Amino acid sequence: MDILSNLAMGFQIAASPYTLLLAVIGCFVGTIIGALPGLGPSNGVALLIPISFSMGLDAISSLVLLTSVYYGAMYGGRISSILLNIPGDEPAMMTTLDGYPMAKQGRAAEALVVSGVASFVGAFAATIGLMIFAPYLARVAFKFGPAEYFALYMLAFCTLGGIGSSNQAKSALAAAIGLAIAMIGLDKTTGMPRFTFGELHLMDGVDFLVAIVGLFAVAEVFFFIETHGRDSAIGVKLGKIRVPWKMLRQTSGAMMRGTGIGFVSGVLPGAGASLGSFLAYMAEKSLARDKDSFGSGNPKGVAAPEAGNNAAAGGALVPMLTLGVPGSGTTAVLLALLLTLNITPGPLLFTERPEVVWSLIAALLIANIVLLLMNVPMVRIFVHILSVPAWILLPGVTMVAFVGIYSLTGSSFDMLMMVGFGALGYVMRKLSIPTVPAILGILLGNAMEDNLRRAMVLSDGDWAFLFSSPIAVGLWIAAILGFVAPIFLRGLLKKPALPDDDPTTIED
C-alpha cells in the first residue's frame, strides 16, 4: 500500500500540464538523439544538462526532462539500426543483426513496430521493477557504513572495467584518470591545494558537468567529424506503417524473456544495456528451434534485444537511486545531474525526498506511453530526421554544448576546460580507453575518499577495517570477480559478428 500511495503522490506532481509537456519534449528530443548514429543517450543527456539549468527548471522538472531524453534515446537507437544498419548507440547493436535484414526484405515497417512495442514492454516493466525493488534495496543500504560504501565504489569501478570494456588495464587507467581529476582543488581536511598548479580557477575543483560534456559531447563531435562527416543517406524504403498483430503475438515470449534478462543486467553495477541486449539475443537464439534464421531477419532477433536494452536502462536506475552507484554510462551522467541539484542519491533519498523519487517514477511510466505513441504511428517523422546532413547537425551540437556550459558557469575558463576534456575524450576513444570509468572516477572520487578517511578514523588507521563486515567482504569478492571473470568468460561469450560498416563504439 505504501508503494501505491507514494505512486499516487508522484502522479499528482508528474501529471501537471507543465511536467507532461517536458516529458513529451524530452521523449521527442531523446528519440531523435537515439536515432542519429553516434550521439547515443550518454552524449545526449550530457549535452542537455546545461540547457536544463539555463532554462531555470527546478529539480523535478529537470529530472523528468532528462530521464525522458534517456528513455527516448533508448527507443530511438533502433531506428538507424534497422534502416541504416548503423546502431544509434551500442545497446542497439544487436538489433542490426535481424532488423536490417528485415528492412532489406521490405519489412522495415514491421521491424520498427515490433521493436517499438518491445522497447515499451522492456522499459515499462523495468520501471515497475524499479518501483517495487528500489525501496527494499534502499532499506538494505541503511546497514552500510564507510567500509561498505568504499567496497561498493570499488565494485562499481571493477564491474564497469571488467564487463564494460575489452581491456581491464585500460579501464583501470581510465578510472585512475577520473580519480586524479576528482582530486583537483583544495583538500577538504587540510585546506591544501592539490593538482591546481597555482591556477585559482582550479581551487574549487573541476565542475563535473564541464568534464562530462567535454568527454562525451565535444569528443563525440571530434570523432563524428572524422568518421561520419559525410554520412546521411537512408539505404532502404520504409513502406506503409501498420501494426503486425500476428508477429507481435509470435514475439511476445521473446519480449518477456528479454525484459527479465535486461532488468537483471541493468541492476548489476557496470553491466548496462549493452550486456542486457546481448544476453537477451543470445538466450533467444539458444532457445529457438530455427537457430539458423537468426541473423537473416527473424523478428524475435529484433524483439528480444530491444526489450533487453530498454529493460536494462530502467534497471540501471535502481543502484543509482538507492546506492548512489550508477549502473551505466548514462546513469552516471544522471548522477551528476542529481549531485548538481544538491540531491544525494542513496537510502535516505527515499525518506527525505520522496517527492523526487516517486514523481520521477511516475514520469517514467508516462514517458513510456508517450514514447510508444511516438515510435509506432509517428516513426516516419524520425526517419525523415535521419536525413539531416552532418554539416547541419555538427554545428548545432557544438553550439548547444558551448551555450549550455557558458550559461551554467559564466566562465570562459570552463569553456576552455570543456574543449580540453573533449580532446582528452577523443584521444581516449582513439586509444580504445573507455571514458565511462573516467566519468565514474570524477563523480565518485570525492565520496570514495571521504569514506576511506572516515573508515581510517574509526579504525585508528587499521586497513583491515575495510574487510570487517560480511557485507563489505561480499562486495570485495564481487568486485574481484567482476574484474577478473570477464577475462575468462570473454572467449565463451563471443559476440556475433557485427555488420561490416558498423563503426559505433559508444558505451552506455
Side-chain angles (χ1 to χ4, degrees), residues 21-313:
L21 177 63
L22 289 175
V24 172
I25 294 173
C27 291
F28 186 78
V29 173
T31 305
I32 294 173
I33 289 172
L36 293 171
L39 278 183
S42 302
N43 298 320
V45 175
L47 193 63
L48 292 176
I49 286 179
I51 298 298
S52 71
F53 282 109
S54 65
M55 292 168 63
L57 299 180
D58 58 30
I60 292 174
S61 299
S62 296
L63 278 174
V64 168
L65 175 66
L66 292 173
T67 51
S68 298
V69 171
Y70 175 30
Y71 268 31
M74 296 304 297
Y75 271 69
R78 78 196 201 286
I79 298 176
S80 56
S81 295
I82 292 170
L83 295 180
L84 300 178
N85 203 25
I86 300 174
D89 53 12
E90 189 176 313
M93 177 177 66
M94 305 305 292
T95 308
T96 61
L97 300 179
D98 284 281
Y100 188 64
M102 285 183 71
K104 287 199 296 184
Q105 296 163 11
R107 297 191 293 162
E110 292 177 349
L112 286 169
V113 173
V114 168
S115 59
V117 174
S119 299
F120 170 78
V121 171
F124 197 85
T127 307
I128 299 292
L130 167 68
M131 188 173 71
I132 295 172
F133 292 112
Y136 291 103
L137 187 57
R139 289 172 197 164
V140 173
F142 275 115
K143 298 180 180 178
F144 279 39
E148 288 77 12
Y149 269 112
F150 185 79
L152 181 66
Y153 294 143
M154 288 301 297
L155 171 63
F157 280 112
C158 290
T159 50
L160 267 179
I163 299 174
S165 171
S166 59
N167 189 312
Q168 270 75 354
K170 290 182 177 179
S171 292
L173 174 63
I177 291 172
L179 290 171
I181 294 171
M183 297 298 106
I184 294 174
L186 295 177
D187 187 314
K188 293 179 181 177
T189 304
T190 64
M192 296 296 292
R194 299 186 299 192
F195 305 123
T196 61
F197 306 104
E199 176 58 59
L200 292 177
H201 291 94
L202 294 176
M203 292 298 178
D204 290 333
V206 174
D207 189 320
F208 35 67
L209 287 183
V210 173
I212 287 173
V213 173
L215 284 171
F216 276 131
V218 177
E220 190 60 42
V221 169
F222 292 152
F223 197 75
F224 202 61
I225 290 172
E226 181 184 4
T227 58
H228 290 81
R230 296 176 183 174
D231 292 345
S232 63
I234 295 178
V236 297
K237 292 183 179 179
L238 181 58
K240 187 177 181 180
I241 302 287
R242 57 188 172 198
V243 179
W245 295 108
K246 184 178 179 182
M247 189 179 290
L248 289 176
R249 284 196 297 273
Q250 291 173 343
T251 56
S252 58
M255 293 181 194
M256 298 307 297
R257 287 186 287 272
T259 297
I261 294 171
F263 182 74
V264 173
S265 300
V267 171
L268 297 174
S274 300
L275 185 68
S277 66
F278 169 68
L279 292 179
Y281 182 91
M282 296 305 293
E284 202 57 39
K285 184 177 179 180
S286 65
L287 291 172
R289 295 178 179 176
D290 52 344
K291 293 182 175 60
D292 293 339
S293 66
F294 280 77
S296 58
N298 190 323
K300 292 181 181 177
V302 175
E306 276 303 310
N309 73 42
N310 282 276

Side-chain angles (χ1 to χ4, degrees), residues 219 222-223 420-433 435:
F222 292 152
F223 197 75
F421 278 113
L424 173 63
Y426 174 78
V427 171
M428 291 174 72
R429 291 274 297 277
K430 294 295 289 182
L431 297 176
S432 299
I433 299 173
T435 52

